[in-house]
Amino acid sequence: MNPTTFQELNLPEPLLQGINGLGFTHLTDVQKTALPVTLAGKDVAGQGRTGTGKTATFLITTINQLLTREPKPGRKGTHPRALVIAPTRELVIQISSDAQKLAQFTNLKIHTVYGGVDYEKQLKGFADGVDILIGTPGRLIDYLKKKAYDLKLTEMLVIDEADRMFDLGFIKDLRFMLRRLPKFDERQSLMFSATLSHRVMELAYEHMNSPVKLRGEEGEITASGIAETMYHTAMDDKLPLLIHLLRESSVERGMIFINEKRTGERLARNLARYGFSVGILSGDVRQARRVRILEDFTKGKLQLLVATDVASRGLHIDGVTHVFNYDLPEDAENYVHRIGRTARAGATGTAISFSCERFCFGLPDIEAYVERRIPLSVITEDMLDIGKPTHPDAHAEGMGEGDRAENNHDKPGSARPRSNNRRRRGRSSGHGQDKK
């Protein structure tokens, strides 16, 4: 019978203190399935829905193994005992934060490296010794080539978001790192992925020791606590509809996903002018500022976060009540990752998507991927009457001075949140592809 609480796992007391400090008591479905296997020292290739506790699974396993096993003979401080590789800076930061909290009552030293911040400062961090090294592939390779650390005595390997490594073109860097580790039967390896595709499993069988293939939850691919709905809307109606929904639901912490940076900048500006505290994450925002925006959003200083798919993975932020797909994603899989920012670890949340004339063509693929139809909601005229901007000079966090006034049509008084020539269509008649 699988355990249901962390107390049943016979974990070291310092680790249990860290788990209790985070408020964790009962295991999630993924943890019930995976932890008995990983704590037994077996290699695992695991698939789990986003927000189901897989990060805690591999961190608890890693910390437990380091506390209950002696280091390999000859180990020095520059020999990390555990290596955690993740594809994005945001994900590395989140993993590091969770690791620090779980290991706060131990003597384990955790070091985190990623691009976009002070290179020399991160390099100096190796001087104090490292037990758990967490990083992105590129920065890890940089320091490895500088001989800041050595992987020949590493006992634990974790690869998170393995499918994303392929998507972002990091697979060559990842293989470079794997070839510098001890042989697959001389270390424990854990790999987690949103999908266990053929290419992901090929990587697992090549670099892992007879990995146990696990899927924490069967059934629907999206988390069960998400209430989903879809609006068919003209592009010109999307901004007023979004503002109405934000007001109606009194959204305190919501994420809004768009497909293009330019759309996000325009949307963030207009939301700020309608009185919302909003931040934007785009590829050219400096890392220090990105971290500050995420901290402000996590602490509630920012009500909304506008982001492209760079933020649809790796952001483990508690309390996100609403996710809006302002643009339907062009990759069906990203729909799942986006809405997975809410209803995390057993909570509930709302996911609202807009299907406009530009991005509606991706809807059949999305519904085929999640294996069901997304429920429709009706748009009424009063939902589009939002009035004039209440804060015409406001701006969004994450935008430079040049961004704030780059287009005349975005200046106060000239934005048109509602089109006078809007086509009236059957807004609740159903999906267009129904007519076969």
Side-chain angles (χ1 to χ4, degrees):
M1 183 176 179
N2 285 343
T4 59
T5 68
F6 288 100
Q7 291 292 337
E8 299 174 57
L9 296 175
N10 297 316
L11 299 171
E13 186 59 33
L15 176 54
L16 276 176
Q17 285 183 272
I19 293 172
N20 293 334
L22 288 173
F24 296 165
T25 56
H26 288 76
L27 306 179
T28 66
D29 288 339
V30 166
Q31 291 164 351
K32 290 177 186 176
T33 303
L35 279 171
V37 179
T38 60
L39 291 174
K42 297 180 181 179
D43 286 12
V44 162
Q47 176 180 352
R49 303 171 190 166
T50 184
T52 53
K54 60 183 176 67
T55 301
T57 297
F58 67 70
L59 287 176
I60 288 170
T61 300
T62 299
I63 295 170
N64 176 76
Q65 303 299 55
L66 299 192
L67 292 178
T68 56
R69 293 178 180 175
E70 290 295 324
K72 289 184 177 181
R75 178 188 176 264
K76 300 178 181 178
T78 54
H79 294 147
R81 297 183 65 192
L83 174 67
V84 181
I85 310 176
T88 66
R89 294 175 293 187
E90 287 76 20
L91 183 52
V92 164
I93 292 169
Q94 293 288 342
I95 294 171
S96 177
S97 175
D98 291 344
Q100 296 284 354
K101 293 172 184 175
L102 286 168
Q104 63 180 307
F105 298 103
T106 75
N107 294 321
L108 297 176
K109 297 178 180 179
I110 300 169
H111 188 41
T112 308
V113 298
Y114 51 88
V117 295
D118 193 313
Y119 185 93
E120 291 300 323
K121 183 177 180 180
Q122 288 186 353
L123 181 60
K124 291 177 182 177
F126 288 96
D128 295 330
V130 182
D131 292 302
I132 302 175
L133 177 60
I134 306 169
T136 52
R139 189 55 66 96
L140 284 169
I141 290 174
D142 284 347
Y143 293 132
L144 186 62
K145 289 182 175 179
K146 278 187 170 291
K147 299 183 178 180
Y149 67 98
D150 194 305
L151 294 172
K152 64 183 179 181
L153 296 179
T154 298
E155 305 162 45
M156 290 283 303
L157 166 68
V158 177
I159 303 172
D160 196 17
E161 301 283 10
D163 51 343
R164 195 64 165 167
M165 295 287 187
F166 288 93
D167 296 341
L168 296 177
F170 294 148
I171 191 59
K172 289 185 178 179
D173 289 345
L174 180 59
R175 290 184 185 278
F176 178 91
M177 295 292 297
L178 295 177
R179 290 194 295 269
R180 269 70 188 172
L181 286 160
K183 294 179 180 180
F184 61 83
D185 57 353
E186 297 175 0
R187 54 176 161 84
Q188 182 181 5
S189 302
L190 309 177
M191 184 176 71
F192 289 88
S193 179
T195 58
L196 293 180
S197 61
H198 175 75
R199 62 184 182 178
V200 170
M201 289 310 301
E202 184 179 46
L203 182 72
Y205 291 132
E206 182 181 353
H207 293 281
M208 300 173 72
N209 186 21
S210 301
V212 178
K213 186 177 179 181
L214 296 179
R215 180 172 177 174
E217 295 179 326
E218 300 295 335
E220 294 182 359
I221 196 168
T222 53
S224 57
I226 303 176
E228 299 170 68
T229 191
M230 175 81 65
Y231 290 93
H232 284 298
T233 174
M235 290 184 68
D236 287 345
D237 289 345
K238 289 163 73 172
L239 175 62
L241 176 60
L242 175 62
I243 291 173
H244 167 82
L245 294 172
L246 290 170
R247 290 171 173 172
E248 180 184 52
S249 301
S250 300
V251 176
E252 295 182 2
R253 187 173 299 165
M255 295 188 69
I256 304 169
F257 287 100
I258 39 80
N259 290 341
E260 298 172 355
K261 172 191 168 186
R262 182 172 57 182
T263 302
E265 291 171 343
R266 187 180 303 118
L267 175 61
R269 277 193 294 267
N270 283 320
L271 288 173
R273 291 168 185 161
Y274 276 85
F276 298 97
S277 56
V278 55
I280 180 170
L281 287 184
S282 60
D284 57 357
V285 176
R286 291 184 178 181
Q287 184 63 23
R289 198 171 190 185
R290 293 167 71 90
V291 171
R292 189 177 72 249
I293 290 170
L294 288 172
E295 287 178 349
D296 288 346
F297 181 63
T298 302
K299 294 176 181 177
K301 295 180 181 179
L302 292 176
Q303 180 181 5
L304 303 172
L305 186 64
V306 177
T308 57
D309 285 312
V310 69
S312 66
R313 291 193 182 188
L315 295 185
H316 307 285
I317 300 172
D318 293 333
V320 174
T321 59
H322 291 72
V323 169
F324 295 88
N325 283 306
Y326 191 79
D327 297 331
L328 279 182
E330 296 174 291
D331 183 341
E333 188 175 324
N334 282 339
Y335 175 81
V336 175
H337 296 308
R338 288 180 178 188
I339 70 173
R341 298 312 99 200
T342 188
R344 302 188 67 81
T348 59
T350 300
I352 299 174
S353 300
F354 297 166
S355 177
C356 64
E357 58 265 38
R358 182 178 179 190
F359 296 110
C360 64
F361 300 103
L363 183 56
D365 289 341
I366 291 172
E367 292 187 326
Y369 185 75
V370 299
E371 299 179 345
R372 55 186 165 70
R373 309 301 293 274
I374 301 172
L376 287 172
S377 292
V378 178
I379 302 175
T380 58
E381 284 297 315
D382 62 295
M383 296 170 71
L384 304 177
D385 293 324
I386 58 173
K388 295 181 179 180
T390 55
H391 298 72
D393 297 321
H395 61 81
E397 285 296 319
M399 299 174 63
E401 293 296 332
D403 294 324
R404 296 172 191 165
E406 67 175 350
N407 297 316
N408 289 332
H409 66 267
D410 277 326
K411 291 181 179 179
S414 60
R416 286 197 306 164
R418 183 179 178 190
S419 170
N420 294 326
N421 299 317
R422 187 169 53 251
R423 290 180 293 168
R424 303 300 176 187
R425 63 184 76 185
R427 301 183 192 276
S428 61
S429 58
H431 298 316
Q433 67 269 25
D434 284 348
K435 300 175 182 179
K436 296 181 181 179

